[in-house]
Amino acid sequence: MADYKGVLICGELAEDKITTVTKELTNTGRRLSDDLNQPLSLLLIGQNIQETAAEAISFGADRVFYIAEGLPFAESLPEHYVAIIASVFNQIKPSIVLLSHTDMGRDIAPRLAASLGTTVCMDCIELEIDADSKSLLQTKPVYGGNAMAVWVSVNYRPHVVTMRPRSASPAQSDPSRKGQIVPITVEIDESTIKGKLLETVKEEAKGIKLEEAKVIVAGGGGIGGSEGFQLIQELAQVLGGTIGITRVPCDEGWMPTSLEIGQTGHIVSPDLYFAIGISGAPQHLAGCSGSKCIVAINKDPEAHIFKEADFGIVGDYREVLPILIEKCKALRAT
Amino acid sequence: MKQIFDAIVVGAGPAGCACSFTMAKAGLKTLLVERGKFPGAKNMWGGVFYGPTLNQLFPSFWQEAPVERYIKRHRLSLLTKDASLSAEFTAKKFGKVPYNGFSLFRAKFDRWFAAKAEQAGAILASGLQADDLLWDGNRVAGIKAGGDELPSSAVIACDGVNSFLSEKAGLRDKLSPRDMKQGVKEVIHLPRNLIELRFNLSGEEGIAWEFIGSFTRGIPGGAFIYTNKESLSIGVVVQLSTLAENKIEANDLLEEFKQHSEVATYLAGGKLLEYSAHLIPVAGSAMMPALYTDGFLVAGDAAAFTLTTGLTLEGANFAIASGLAAAETVIRSKQIGDFSQKSLSYYPELLKKSFVLKDLKTFKKAPHFLENPRIYSLYPEIACDLAEKIFTNDGKPRRKIWKLLRKSMERKISFWQVFRDLKKIKKAL
Amino acid sequence: MDIIVCVKQIPDPEIPPSKFKLDIESKKVVPPEGIPPVMNPYDEQAVELALRLKDKYGGKITVLTLGSEATSSIAKHALAMGADEGIVITNKAFEDSDSFSKAYILSQAIKKVGDYDLVLCGRQAADWDEGLVGSIIAENLGLPLVTLAEAVDVANGKLKVKRVILDGYQVFTVPIPAVVTVSNEVGRPRLPSGWGIISASQKQIPVWSVDDIEADSSKTGASAARRKLVKLFIPERERKCEIIERETTAEASIELVDTLIKAGAI
Ligand SMILES: Cc1cc2nc3c(=O)[nH]c(=O)nc-3n(C[C@H](O)[C@H](O)[C@H](O)COP(=O)(O)OP(=O)(O)OC[C@H]3O[C@@H](n4cnc5c(N)ncnc54)[C@H](O)[C@@H]3O)c2cc1C
Ligand SMILES: Cc1cc2nc3c(=O)[nH]c(=O)nc-3n(C[C@H](O)[C@H](O)[C@H](O)COP(=O)(O)OP(=O)(O)OC[C@H]3O[C@@H](n4cnc5c(N)ncnc54)[C@H](O)[C@@H]3O)c2cc1C
Ligand SMILES: Nc1ncnc2c1ncn2[C@@H]1O[C@H](COP(=O)(O)O)[C@@H](O)[C@H]1O
């Protein structure tokens, strides 16, 4: 086990740029590497990304691996990614492999762990090196967020871990940092890959992305139907924010599923989060509890959301919202 | 797969289980329908289960049924804000087979009982709610459930206090709050040895402890504590209409009761395991609905077969006995091939012969008498006050008890009124 | 098309947080009395997806659940929804097995069932929220895998799988047989019908032990677990809510805006 050293981050790119979640991983990875006194490596999979690779050094990586050639990137399957990560793993034998708990990480981490014959912990929100045993303490929400579990691996290396987006702040760039950039080519035995990716369809969200919004006005089951979301939309508009929803409006078909916030949807951390007609189920809070300020509007004084909010009004949203909208409009005018 | 049943029993409580067990054993094609995920899943219970009726069906049932403790002692306490007066009764025979009563959990007990019916050949369909009756002219011809029509020669409604089916069959109206009591209950975990120490019990012994007094704020009703193996069942049962009129939550009364100094010491250190609320029909035979129509019978709480004497609340044994009578009626109907109203009139005859209707007749006046608010506040107060005067030694010369009583009653109530209430007690109980 | 669906019984995930209790010492969840356990909701959606395929292409649906004999109630639930067969696999050390040993046991059971075109699992079990077992089964059986599926269809002798991603979807094709994990976007599972419940209640649910599926017991239970739970706890709440109360809701609403401005939130 002592043969395994260092931390490997499997980074994600969007339009050839390092994503925010990867910067979050880099921040965590740097801390763990420092605690272990071992190097931090970052793997980037993409085309024409020399510059991005160089930039990654500034975020804290000691070594950046990037794939230069040999991959049909657009149609790449999870199997390709697993093969690449496994081959980099075999070169450097890190003791910790970090991925983000995104669509990609969720899919790849279990396959990777199974193929490396090791163990894995999904959706962690905290990682820490135990001072005495030097083992990795992996904290993750369980039971929909009702509880937290802390795991350690027994005799299995590497630790494959996915981290929940927004559970750490992103690393800041420090251009003075030095590091090594290692282009690699990978040979993949295509005969072992049986599936095919036919298409990827992105349903571009209009306006502000939920992850980037400063203000989110979220409506839940209490809104009662798609008409009610007009008020939600209006409030979001005057506050310069965007709309979010809980599972209920998705299931009921009032709003598109792509707006869902929570354990299985978007994880957001705006400065201001309005929870309107939302009861406060842990699975929903999992997606918004990182918000700086949470305001709850609910007609049931016993609703759990009031235990998780900073400010609250007990009342019918149909009464409250028009006044909020009015008042905010007046404020904006002055 | 589709089939026609001889009988469909709706509700796997004590009434429905006893009924379907008996019919299935007699070879009738029986379907037992329960809306809970499993029998007992939704049922709450005080509860002392009085055993003799079940013992006839399954001799020594306590050896296999999931019972908690046999009730060796009964205690009654009158509570005022800061005093209490208690009386306790125990009999040797309560501690011996066939025992008199048991504490138990409905979730486990109903499951056990329903499994018995299944073993006898009944089909148990859990997670299925009867939504309506199926009619053939004026005759009930089955039920509608889960979007399907399920035909049968007879339907036995054992669907509890709010019996939706007897309403649908036109046998009764919706119950009014006056006809019901509200029960709220908590189960509180305590280690076994602590329970035995606090309540002075040993082995499988248990106690049933009833309370009346100021904590119900004059609302007819009372509270109870029953001991289970490793927990206490504690709850209040109060008149629903008065509760509503006074805008009081039964829950708050339970909290108040739990905080009474006499009660709190018994609960100290306990962990809340479960909370539940349920309605109980209480108007006794006065509110009893018509019991049958063509192809249709009602048993158990659905027929309001419960008995409240103020000191005890009994329903399960009535439920079982009426379930058995309904089963025998349907078995007979099957033999003669006639499920008409006329044939089913055998049912009340059987009930009249059993203790069910006899007991309910004996205590017919109890429900009215029990609405008398004096029982719940004034009399406990007078009794406690008197006890205090008797037991207090303040260095002054003692006075006769009679004089103390007069003093305790002063400006509260006249002897004449007490006399009238006593006469009513005699008649009602 | 013959389909195997793996279903797990879990404590009801939608109980109010106030009813959620832990026993810190034993690191276990205390099952809430009176609230029966349920089928993992994603697994119920997997059963629904299987039934849609059966409605379209015919075939047989077999439901596998690893647990105690008490878990047969969820197998019955799947039968009541329309599945054809249910099998319970019991393992004394079930609770202490990790995802790898659970997946190993299920893989062995799948081999024993034999003929199948598709194995469906839920995207994750809503108790420990891992999302591992389906993927490991695919690895164990050497089968292609698509995760987070919203829909599955058959085209040109292959499976066509629509996979949910945060801002859209992807479409994969994989050869048959394959493993697919199912996401909630499948939509509401059907309710069992009356006759469905009645016929399910009369069916026997065979119980397979670890021996029946020729599983190597050294690969199961606590001793085989690749990781250890060191702590289970309920997180402390960090927020204290200030409820804005005024004579009328309108006044409170106005006050809210002022409060938010004062707090620097807008
Ligand atoms: C495995 C699993 C995963 C899940 N993942 C997610 C997830 O990712 N995201 C998610 O959101 N949910 C998720 N859920 C669902 C979650 O458990 C809750 O069911 C859901 O979040 C409840 O949504 P809600 O609060 O909008 O609706 P409800 O619980 O129905 O609450 C509605 C609230 O509105 C209030 N209300 C009603 N009318 C009004 C009115 N006129 N004015 C003001 N208030 C009113 C009511 O008092 C109530 O509190 C998941 C569930 C499971 C089992
Ligand atoms: C707080 C409290 C304390 C009590 N204490 C005692 C006591 O100490 N001793 C005693 O003997 N009795 C006691 N009782 C009374 C006793 O619980 C009832 O009298 C008894 O349970 C009646 O049995 P039953 O079978 O008629 O009805 P229930 O036990 O109410 O059973 C009815 C069943 O029908 C099912 N059901 C209802 N509608 C449908 C439908 N449409 N489709 C399918 N299924 C349906 C329900 O889920 C339920 O399982 C107490 C009651 C309460 C509430
Ligand atoms: N004990 C089990 N029995 C049957 N299937 C299971 C079991 N545990 C997990 N699964 C399946 O694997 C999926 C993912 O579970 P998990 O990896 O535990 O989150 C579940 O949705 C089920 O389909």
Side-chain angles (χ1 to χ4, degrees), chain C residues 111-169:
Chain C
K111 283 188 203 161
K112 177 163 164 144
V113 172
D115 285 338
Y116 57 87
D117 303 303
L118 173 62
V119 176
L120 292 179
C121 284
R123 61 177 283 170
Q124 69 201 60
D127 47 2
W128 293 97
D129 288 319
E130 296 279 8
L132 294 174
V133 167
S135 309
I136 306 169
I137 289 175
E139 184 77 21
N140 289 346
L141 299 174
L143 295 180
L145 163 72
V146 184
T147 60
L148 307 183
E150 159 177 5
V152 177
D153 207 343
V154 184
N156 305 324
K158 289 190 172 179
L159 293 172
K160 196 167 154 193
V161 186
K162 186 173 171 191
R163 174 178 192 258
V164 184
I165 55 175
L166 197 56
D167 47 3
Y169 62 92

Side-chain angles (χ1 to χ4, degrees), chain A residues 55 65 74 92-93 102 128 149 161 184 189 194-195 229 232 235 241 252 258 268-269 287 296 317 322 332-333:
Chain A
E55 195 195 355
F65 295 87
I92 61 171
K93 291 262 161 17
T102 52
E128 207 183 327
V161 174
I184 49 170
D189 178 2
K194 298 169 197 132
F229 277 92
I232 304 278
L235 182 61
E252 298 291 336
S258 57
V268 299
S269 49
Y317 83 92
R332 281 233 331 229

Side-chain angles (χ1 to χ4, degrees), chain B residues 1 3 38 123-124 146 148 274, chain C residues 33 36 38 194-195 199 201-202:
Chain B
M1 185 58 237
Q3 45 199 315
F38 55 84
I123 298 171
L124 168 66
D148 285 330
E274 177 190 336
Chain C
E33 292 249 13
V38 298
W195 287 115
S199 80
S201 68
Q202 288 166 278

Side-chain angles (χ1 to χ4, degrees), chain C residues 7 9 65-71 88-92 94 207-208:
Chain C
V7 300
Q9 185 176 58
T65 173
L66 166 62
S68 64
E69 266 174 64
T71 49
V88 173
I89 308 141
T90 57
N91 174 16
K92 265 195 238 92
F94 157 70
V207 178
W208 290 353

Side-chain angles (χ1 to χ4, degrees), chain A residues 103 107 140 143 198 203 291, chain C residues 127 129 147 167 171 239:
Chain A
D103 303 326
D107 186 291
K140 69 163 281 169
Y143 289 88
L198 295 187
E203 290 160 346
S291 311
Chain C
D127 47 2
D129 288 319
T147 60
D167 47 3
V171 182
R239 298 177 201 264

